[in-house]
Amino acid sequence: MATVLDRGAGRDGRATRGGGVVRGGGVTRDDDAAPGAGAARDRATAHDADEVTAARLLARTGRCARVSRDRYRTDAGRPATVPVCGTRDAVFWKADLDIDCDGRPTARCNRRTDPVFAAATAVQGSDGRRLNAETLPYIVVPAPSRRWDHRRSGVRGGSVAAVVYRDRVRYAVVGDTGPRDLIGEASYATARALGIRPDPRSGGVSSGVTYIVFRDSRIGAAEDRAAAVAEGKRLARRFLARR
């Protein structure tokens, strides 16, 4: 349900015990490598170090410096076990994923497919229309409360997020708000991108999803998926680089 949100080894070879690389049936030693090979290896190593992976993000979020006053429930009637944690660059939490189909009615998100469908999202697109949960990856944050006011953590509509499930990392925006005491919800498109069943009646997962929202981030248009991905990757690399 929406509530008001502030809008504002190279590929062709394999290593040998002697330190060479098998290529075309022969072994090339490091000292026999072609000119420039060392620089190429250095670039590849640097690329690997900058790569944003699920494993690296999960390791970075392994410790929790809590920013929420209290913990959240993942579903109504369940115990409150989920804190919102933070670093200088981001806030994050680990929860379930319930399917949010709210927003613009589509073939898969409407009153027939979703019994609690609402034709509204707390965030609007640049055209003034509600967001499209079927095509736009977005996440839901709890409405502001004494438990946690996301705005004080630099999180607003259109803030950029990385969502991790198993070995997948996908980028999204903050697109809606939910109940003040519940956490762990994302759009149909987010679930589908993560390989999670997106059906609003029977989809989602009960645990294992990490949500990372980058503080004071925002893109020009909440519905601009390409911009969210580009900015998300940049901010995720910074998040991993800082300690």
Side-chain angles (χ1 to χ4, degrees), residues 35 72 77 98 112 222 228:
Y72 285 89
D98 295 323
R112 291 180 293 102

Side-chain angles (χ1 to χ4, degrees), residues 3-8 91 93 100 121-125 131 136-143 148 150-151 153-163 171-178 185-187 190 211-219 221-223 228:
T3 58
V4 176
L5 182 69
D6 185 15
R7 289 181 171 83
V91 295
W93 56 92
D100 188 326
T121 49
V123 179
Q124 294 181 349
L131 302 182
L136 179 68
Y138 70 72
I139 68 168
V140 181
V141 296
W148 179 53
H150 55 265
R151 299 169 298 187
S153 296
V155 174
R156 289 176 169 79
S159 289
V160 179
V163 190
Y171 299 96
V173 296
V174 173
D176 207 355
T177 55
E185 190 175 7
S187 69
T190 305
Y211 303 78
I212 305 167
V213 187
F214 302 107
R215 294 179 186 262
D216 300 313
S217 63
R218 195 164 188 172
I219 55 176
E223 73 276 16

Side-chain angles (χ1 to χ4, degrees), residues 185-216:
E185 190 175 7
S187 69
Y188 182 106
T190 305
R192 182 173 55 189
L194 290 169
I196 296 170
R197 180 176 169 81
D199 188 288
R201 290 179 181 268
S202 59
V205 289
S206 60
S207 64
V209 180
T210 299
Y211 303 78
I212 305 167
V213 187
F214 302 107
R215 294 179 186 262
D216 300 313

